[in-house]
Amino acid sequence: MKRRGAAAAGEEREKDAKWKTKYSKLVLKNAGEIPQEVHTAVEEAFLTLLKCGCFFQDLVRIKGKDFVTPVSRILIGNPGCTYKYLNTRLFTVPWPVESYEINYSRPEISRACKALIKLNEYLHRETVQALQQQNLAETKEIEDWAVMDRHQDYATSITEMGSTLRDQSPFRLLKNDCADLKERTSYNLTLLNYMDPQEMSSLKREPYFGMGKMAVSWHHDENLVERSTVAVYSYSCEESATDNLEEDAPKGRDPAVWHVGLKVAWDIKTPGLAIPLRQGDCYFMLDDLNMTHQHCVLAGRQPRFSSTHRVAECSQGTLQYILSECKTALQNLHTETDSGHLSLKPLDVKDIKQVEETHNEVEFEWLRQFWFQGKRYRKCTDWWDEPIAALEEFWRQMELMTSLLLSEIRKEEHTEGQRNERIRCLLSLIMERQKLREEWLTRCHSQLAESLPEDEKPECRPYWQQDDPNMLLPFNLEDVIIELENLLKTVEC
């Protein structure tokens, strides 16, 4: 028994040393250090959202193939924000924010979202404190280094030494931290995850360090503000005394307990780290850890929820952004005051590119992404109904603009060189549109898509039949592409 205890203590010391040297930017906050009222509210929020059917498995795309995620998710955050991962754009169920009117489908969903924004505020405060402590430690290292440096040979001039000091990355790091600490810690959304390992027929084993079964494979979190922290609140259900033990327990970890695994990115020689997550524990991946390292989630036996708070890079991922892009594009559509007749303002190649790129963006990055996820969001709120309807109307006006542009090109009123440039510009973007429409149509009617529950089945929208009198252009653009290619050949001849 003494030998076994000594071996365990040795393993623990080895893990602590590894944590401090290779994984110092991973900070664990034990459940006991977190206020009980936070645990109570968040646990109730998780169970409420599960009971109300608000967690969904995503149909994602990896290397041209569709997969259903083993983990069920819901995105909650600032109104109008989206988060894209594995070619899938998730739309936030908005948490309550001043100046926004949000109608939730049930009062208990409203309470759940309130609990999660309070958790978000708590984790923000804890993140700032953790980064400040990290900076203090780095400051001490710099000061210690400077003291040692004074004892170096006086052959190094004062000027050279000052230059060397200024060039050290810790100095730049501290300066940057003061400047953008708020930006890197202001979480604008949380991706909630739920998984019950007992419902999974098979889970992949961690391939490099023998860590056992993985719920989520090695990865970086995508589309985040550079050097922003990711904060995770973990809640696993309690294990009953009657649960069976696994025979092939992975070396060094309890297979009943969920763990977060860390490794140096694209490195399998440096030993990885597996940290056990007890009910209510939090961990923080500070600063650039998400960039320099990869992490995975190692499955325990019982169901687990997590709330992963992120500073999503939203420069092109908010409702405000896409509405602004649409309005800019539609400034090129002129409406006659008396007759209401619509016509295009004079467009050069740059204008055509901007309008048609926005046309593609609103169709494939917003409308098709939204409807590909079925009617899932209406289980929680109708908040997105009005914005999506507005985007669909803007898209229809852009379809009209493309039709008017085609009519103009057919008239041959421009010089040969100008017409040639306009045709090439439009042709390239129409070909991209046709390719993406075919891809989305195939995805919406795939066997995987058809296997999803009725309210989660993808909808191919916008879609219309070729002879639809309400549409100026066909859904299938092959004939338009052939016409433009022929026009281009005629011009070049």
Side-chain angles (χ1 to χ4, degrees):
M1 291 293 290
K2 287 184 178 179
R3 287 181 182 177
R4 190 178 301 171
E11 287 178 6
E12 196 64 27
R13 285 193 298 271
E14 183 181 341
K15 185 175 80 171
D16 288 344
K18 191 194 311 178
W19 195 338
K20 288 177 182 177
T21 55
K22 297 293 183 181
Y23 304 100
S24 61
K25 292 183 181 180
L26 175 70
V27 174
L28 178 69
K29 192 172 185 68
N30 293 317
E33 303 174 80
I34 299 168
Q36 183 56 45
E37 58 266 25
V38 172
H39 293 308
T40 303
V42 174
E43 176 186 350
E44 183 181 346
F46 285 151
L47 296 174
T48 293
L49 293 170
L50 182 65
K51 181 181 176 182
C52 293
C54 297
F55 285 91
F56 304 94
Q57 290 176 277
D58 294 322
L59 186 53
V60 299
R61 197 159 183 81
I62 305 172
K63 295 181 179 178
K65 293 184 178 180
D66 285 345
F67 298 89
V68 175
T69 58
V71 177
S72 298
R73 296 184 165 100
I74 178 176
L75 187 70
I76 297 177
N78 290 348
C81 269
T82 67
Y83 179 68
K84 194 172 181 184
Y85 83 106
L86 298 179
N87 299 299
T88 299
R89 185 179 299 280
L90 299 181
F91 296 73
T92 53
V93 172
W95 48 32
V97 175
E98 284 185 24
S99 76
Y100 283 90
E101 183 178 335
I102 302 161
N103 297 315
Y104 296 100
S105 57
R106 298 186 186 185
E108 56 265 43
I109 293 177
S110 174
R111 290 194 295 272
C113 290
K114 286 179 183 175
L116 289 162
I117 195 172
K118 286 183 179 178
L119 174 63
N120 195 66
E121 292 163 356
Y122 170 78
L123 292 176
H124 166 69
R125 292 193 298 271
E126 291 296 313
T127 304
V128 171
Q129 185 176 344
L131 283 168
Q132 288 172 339
Q133 289 173 349
Q134 182 192 59
N135 287 349
L136 284 173
E138 288 173 346
T139 302
K140 187 177 184 305
E141 286 181 14
I142 295 168
E143 290 172 348
D144 291 346
W145 177 86
V147 169
M148 292 173 61
D149 191 67
R150 290 194 195 106
H151 298 286
Q152 289 180 355
D153 195 293
Y154 272 96
T156 303
S157 69
I158 298 297
T159 304
E160 287 174 341
M161 187 171 71
S163 175
T164 303
L165 281 167
R166 284 193 298 273
D167 287 342
Q168 298 304 310
S169 61
F171 283 100
R172 294 198 302 272
L173 177 63
L174 289 173
K175 183 178 179 181
N176 291 339
D177 278 345
C178 293
D180 62 5
L181 185 63
K182 183 177 179 181
E183 180 187 1
R184 297 187 293 116
T185 60
S186 296
Y187 304 121
N188 48 15
L189 49 81
T190 177
L191 185 61
L192 272 61
N193 304 293
Y194 171 76
M195 184 179 180
D196 184 352
Q198 305 300 330
E199 294 181 357
M200 297 301 300
S201 58
S202 62
L203 290 173
K204 290 182 179 179
R205 289 191 169 275
E206 194 283 314
Y208 308 123
F209 310 108
M211 293 178 175
K213 293 181 179 179
M214 298 187 298
V216 181
S217 301
W218 291 111
H219 68 287
H220 302 276
D221 288 338
E222 298 179 71
N223 294 322
L224 304 181
V225 168
E226 187 176 357
R227 292 178 58 234
S228 62
T229 295
V230 178
V232 181
Y233 180 96
S234 179
Y235 178 87
S236 49
C237 300
E238 295 287 2
E239 186 170 20
S240 67
T242 58
D243 285 318
N244 295 322
L245 294 175
E246 282 191 13
E247 295 179 2
D248 56 344
K251 182 182 177 181
R253 86 169 182 93
D254 182 350
V257 178
W258 287 79
H259 288 62
V260 59
L262 252 80
K263 65 183 281 291
V264 178
W266 316 116
D267 176 358
I268 60 174
K269 292 182 180 179
T270 303
L273 182 70
I275 300 298
L277 299 171
R278 307 293 174 178
Q279 188 180 77
D281 284 351
C282 285
Y283 63 89
F284 303 83
M285 294 187 288
L286 298 177
D287 196 52
D288 61 352
L289 185 68
N290 180 59
M291 299 163 59
T292 59
H293 292 65
Q294 292 168 293
H295 60 281
C296 69
V297 181
L298 304 165
R301 288 203 192 94
Q302 295 304 309
R304 174 187 180 255
F305 298 90
S306 66
S307 183
T308 63
H309 297 249
R310 306 156 188 244
V311 188
E313 204 295 297
C314 282
S315 61
Q316 295 183 331
T318 64
L319 178 63
Q320 182 181 6
Y321 158 78
I322 194 60
L323 288 175
S324 175
E325 291 295 295
C326 289
K327 288 172 182 175
T328 299
L330 291 171
Q331 288 175 357
N332 294 291
L333 186 62
H334 177 68
T335 306
E336 296 288 344
T337 306
D338 298 331
S339 64
H341 177 72
L342 294 169
S343 61
L344 277 182
K345 293 180 180 178
L347 297 179
D348 58 22
V349 172
K350 182 181 176 182
D351 295 326
I352 293 171
K353 188 174 185 292
Q354 189 270 326
V355 168
E356 295 302 331
E357 282 182 345
T358 302
H359 188 165
N360 283 355
E361 184 175 16
V362 73
E363 178 172 339
F364 301 109
E365 288 294 330
W366 290 83
L367 297 178
R368 296 198 183 279
Q369 288 276 6
F370 183 84
W371 292 114
F372 188 72
Q373 295 165 55
K375 300 178 177 66
R376 63 164 67 178
Y377 297 103
R378 288 177 182 165
K379 279 198 171 183
C380 302
T381 178
D382 62 1
W383 192 88
W384 280 100
D385 288 5
E386 191 174 317
I388 292 297
L391 289 176
E392 286 182 327
E393 180 54 34
F394 288 152
W395 171 84
R396 282 179 174 272
Q397 292 181 52
M398 284 183 237
E399 282 282 298
L400 169 62
M401 292 177 74
T402 303
S403 176
L404 292 171
L405 181 57
L406 282 166
S407 298
E408 274 196 13
I409 286 173
R410 292 180 186 119
K411 290 176 184 176
E412 298 184 310
E413 291 181 353
H414 291 79
T415 65
E416 186 175 298
Q418 289 175 328
R419 186 165 178 256
N420 195 12
E421 282 186 65
R422 284 154 63 90
I423 292 172
R424 284 185 173 173
C425 179
L426 181 59
L427 177 59
S428 171
L429 290 159
I430 291 282
M431 289 174 73
E432 180 184 2
R433 193 170 306 159
Q434 171 66 9
K435 177 186 173 184
L436 290 172
R437 281 183 183 175
E438 288 176 348
E439 183 180 299
W440 279 98
L441 186 61
T442 301
R443 291 187 71 193
C444 286
H445 296 292
S446 69
Q447 189 173 349
L448 263 180
E450 295 293 343
S451 70
L452 294 174
E454 198 59 40
D455 59 351
E456 297 176 39
K457 282 185 179 178
E459 183 177 350
C460 186
R461 181 169 170 177
Y463 179 80
W464 62 101
Q465 298 296 332
Q466 294 296 94
D467 56 352
D468 189 332
N470 296 314
M471 300 301 294
L472 295 168
L473 292 171
F475 178 85
N476 187 316
L477 296 165
E478 286 182 354
D479 289 344
V480 175
I481 290 169
I482 290 170
E483 180 187 4
L484 287 171
E485 286 176 335
N486 289 334
L487 285 171
L488 193 58
K489 288 176 184 176
T490 302
V491 170
E492 289 176 342
C493 287

